[in-house]
Amino acid sequence: MKYYGDLRSIITALDEMGDIMHVHREVDGDFEPSAITRRSYEIQSPAPLFHKVAGVAPGFRLFGAPAALSSRSDMPYARVAMSLGLAPESTGPEIIEALSAARFKPGIPPVRVESAQAECQQNILRGAEANLDRFPIPFAHDKDGGRYANTWGTLIVKTPDGKWVNWSIARVMKVDGKRMVGLIVPSQHIGQIWTQWVARGEPMPYALVQGPAPAISCVSGIPIPANADEADYIGTLAGEPVPVVKAISLDLDVPATAEIVIEGHVSIERDYQEGPYGEYGGYLGEGSSAQPTFHVETITHRHDPIWPMSITGRPTDESHTLWAMGLAADALTYLREAELPIKTTWIPEDSTVHWLLVVMPENWRERLPGVSSEALTQRIGEVLFKTDAMVFIPKVYVVDDDFDPTNLREVVWALSTRVHPVGRRAVFEDQRVIRLPQCYDEAEYVAGKGAKVVFDTLQTKRHLHASFAQGYPEEVRQRILDNWPE
């Protein structure tokens, strides 16, 4: 296990594993980097690193698919695992256990270093020089409302009283060299903090950090409890404090090893149209909405900076790996806190964060005497649908542990044979709905409410599988394996 303290060190490690695709020819600054990155997701190729982008100064680079599935079939979650300081061969459930376990450990606060020690402040741009046009920001999809300046960067904000510092990922669209517009959802943590600044009538200071230590990007994109500082949680995962430096123009601390830091203030009104944007559900966006403007005042960056990007869409990208694991870890944490004997939770990548599997151990009835599967299903829904993270997930499946929930072929087999056509489910009406999940109708989006469901697929009696593992005597299986292939 190794913790990577900056983006460059993990790129080097992935390169040594054969999981980096170096693109040395010049690519256009509009769609080509995004299209290459999108194809890399869909064919599960190495992550593309673009060394020469038209229209920007030599040395500026783009890095795509930073936490997607690895091209190494023997360690598919290596990019996520290594980003979090775990072994590259870690399984999905092992990553989820690590994310959940860290929430019960004391946080390790960040440590501030001097500006001279902070790589992110090797170059300081102020005034007219602090301009986004100098950076390689491509269009993510050809139907998007503009170039998206943030798809994998960390937004840092804090409450006016300074008691809560939030590090998060939210999409932010470039307007011009000095302005961006970002999606701020009131229920999300950045939305809660922005609302406090609006109540004071003051623009919210922000720092947009591109290319920090990979664990920072990952944790910024997963749910942890409100009023908890992501920096402390990252320190727990890393086993050491995150080095930070005071921003040049703001009272905010930013990761010292980051590639690029954009500093400024967010307007107190929703004064510019944001979107559309092709989102994680796998469809190109339609329409836009009024969102706050992010004014650009100061930019700092390392020499020859690297701008990372996540090009969301059909599986499998960072939304379906890292974010899905974070949501599953959040669900696992709350279910275990409710004293339910959950073995693991999992969101299949190909469900685009629309399914959650809650996996029960074989002895769950012994551990919950007198509780029926129907009552268990109801209780799971009651726990989950009170949490903020579950606003994204409309369908939950309570399943046995006699198949591999991370193997989509086995998931499809189990669900297709065990989901009852009309019964054995708990429906929860009038649940909170936002526009990002794709399965609701317009009236439900407008109302902000819709149904969610928990399917009870638990078997009253476990059936043996007609498979190689369960359909033949052990000595026959071993003899076949010893002579395979003949």
Side-chain angles (χ1 to χ4, degrees):
M1 294 173 61
K2 174 180 172 58
Y3 176 71
Y4 297 92
D6 66 359
L7 180 62
R8 301 180 185 207
S9 60
I10 197 170
I11 289 175
T12 298
L14 291 171
D15 201 13
E16 292 171 352
M17 293 167 47
D19 200 27
I20 295 292
M21 174 173 61
H22 293 275
V23 182
H24 288 287
R25 68 174 178 83
E26 184 176 87
V27 294
D28 73 69
D30 291 330
F31 297 111
E32 202 168 6
S34 303
I36 292 171
T37 299
R38 179 98 291 274
R39 187 167 192 269
S40 79
Y41 292 128
E42 294 174 11
I43 66 172
Q44 206 168 325
S45 80
L49 178 62
F50 302 93
H51 293 267
K52 191 182 298 183
V53 182
V56 298
F60 284 21
R61 291 164 287 172
L62 280 167
F63 178 49
L69 289 176
S70 170
S71 61
R72 291 279 302 266
S73 60
D74 57 332
M75 47 182 72
Y77 303 110
R79 294 183 207 169
V80 175
M82 293 167 65
S83 294
L84 297 169
L86 303 174
E89 63 273 13
S90 298
T91 66
E94 287 171 344
I95 295 170
I96 287 172
E97 288 289 348
L99 290 172
S100 179
R103 287 174 52 163
F104 297 98
K105 298 177 182 177
I108 299 177
V111 59
R112 182 184 279 187
V113 301
E114 297 299 320
S115 181
Q117 301 172 281
E119 292 95 332
C120 72
Q121 294 180 352
Q122 290 173 337
N123 300 272
I124 300 173
L125 308 173
R126 297 181 174 91
E129 283 196 318
N131 194 304
L132 297 173
D133 292 340
R134 67 174 60 231
F135 295 97
I137 305 172
F139 285 94
H141 320 89
D142 72 347
K143 303 297 183 185
D144 288 350
R147 300 176 187 273
Y148 268 79
N150 195 47
T151 56
W152 193 243
T154 294
L155 283 162
I156 299 178
V157 300
K158 68 178 177 181
T159 52
D161 62 12
K163 293 181 179 179
W164 178 20
V165 179
N166 177 243
W167 293 10
S168 66
I169 293 179
R171 73 191 201 202
V172 180
M173 187 181 82
K174 177 185 173 184
V175 175
D176 53 37
K178 299 293 289 183
R179 293 179 299 163
M180 303 178 289
V181 57
L183 181 64
I184 292 188
V185 179
S187 61
Q188 294 182 334
H189 293 170
I190 189 172
Q192 295 172 27
I193 293 173
W194 178 71
T195 300
Q196 293 186 32
W197 285 97
V198 170
R200 286 170 63 108
E202 298 179 23
M204 178 177 70
Y206 80 91
L208 173 54
V209 181
Q210 299 293 348
I216 295 174
S217 300
C218 288
V219 171
S220 299
I222 66 174
I224 67 171
N227 299 303
D229 286 354
E230 284 80 4
D232 296 12
Y233 178 79
I234 294 161
T236 300
L237 288 171
E240 59 187 60
V242 175
V244 296
V245 64
K246 186 181 182 301
I248 296 296
S249 61
L250 305 171
D251 184 24
L252 290 173
D253 285 343
V254 299
T257 65
E259 296 288 328
I260 302 160
V261 179
I262 302 166
E263 304 175 13
H265 288 79
V266 182
S267 64
I268 63 174
E269 297 178 348
R270 297 183 183 271
D271 50 7
Y272 204 91
Q273 291 293 306
E274 185 274 337
Y277 180 71
E279 267 290 359
Y280 67 91
Y283 301 92
L284 291 174
E286 297 179 3
S288 62
S289 62
Q291 299 294 337
T293 300
F294 289 63
H295 295 276
V296 177
E297 295 159 11
T298 304
I299 301 177
T300 69
H301 66 84
R302 293 176 70 149
H303 301 320
D304 298 332
I306 302 171
W307 190 295
M309 58 183 183
S310 172
I311 308 301
T312 51
R314 286 176 55 174
T316 303
D317 56 55
E318 286 75 17
S319 296
H320 317 124
T321 56
L322 183 278
W323 184 47
M325 290 182 188
L327 293 174
D330 191 68
L332 181 65
T333 302
Y334 282 111
L335 289 170
R336 286 182 174 167
E337 284 182 337
E339 299 183 344
L340 296 175
I342 310 300
K343 183 171 184 178
T344 192
T345 52
W346 184 251
I347 296 174
E349 293 104 34
D350 293 85
S351 77
T352 62
V353 199
H354 284 60
W355 293 358
L356 170 70
L357 307 185
V358 177
V359 184
M360 302 302 299
E362 187 170 8
N363 68 345
W364 73 265
R365 288 179 175 84
E366 298 170 23
R367 297 167 66 179
L368 294 173
V371 175
S372 66
S373 64
E374 293 84 359
L376 174 64
T377 299
Q378 180 72 27
R379 179 62 179 143
I380 286 172
E382 291 170 350
V383 171
L384 291 180
F385 294 138
K386 291 177 182 176
T387 68
D388 289 335
M390 286 298 292
V391 70
F392 298 100
I393 299 175
K395 306 176 187 100
V396 178
Y397 298 84
V398 185
V399 300
D400 291 300
D401 67 351
D402 62 333
F403 68 96
D404 179 2
T406 69
N407 183 316
L408 185 64
R409 176 179 292 179
E410 294 190 29
V411 171
V412 171
W413 166 74
L415 296 188
S416 63
T417 58
R418 300 177 189 178
V419 173
H420 191 277
V422 293
R424 297 186 61 199
R425 68 194 67 188
V427 178
F428 294 78
E429 303 285 358
D430 295 329
Q431 297 299 306
R432 199 154 46 104
V433 164
I434 59 176
R435 285 190 175 269
L436 291 174
Q438 298 286 331
C439 57
Y440 295 99
D441 60 34
E442 183 61 23
E444 291 170 309
Y445 291 129
V446 171
K449 291 184 178 181
K452 300 197 173 185
V453 61
V454 184
F455 292 93
D456 172 9
T457 77
L458 297 169
Q459 303 169 91
T460 54
K461 175 186 177 183
R462 295 241 175 152
H463 299 282
L464 290 175
H465 303 174
S467 64
F468 178 77
Q470 295 187 20
Y472 306 93
E474 182 179 358
E475 63 272 16
V476 173
R477 299 199 310 271
Q478 191 59 54
R479 184 163 65 249
I480 290 171
L481 291 173
D482 290 343
N483 291 281
W484 190 280
E486 294 174 331

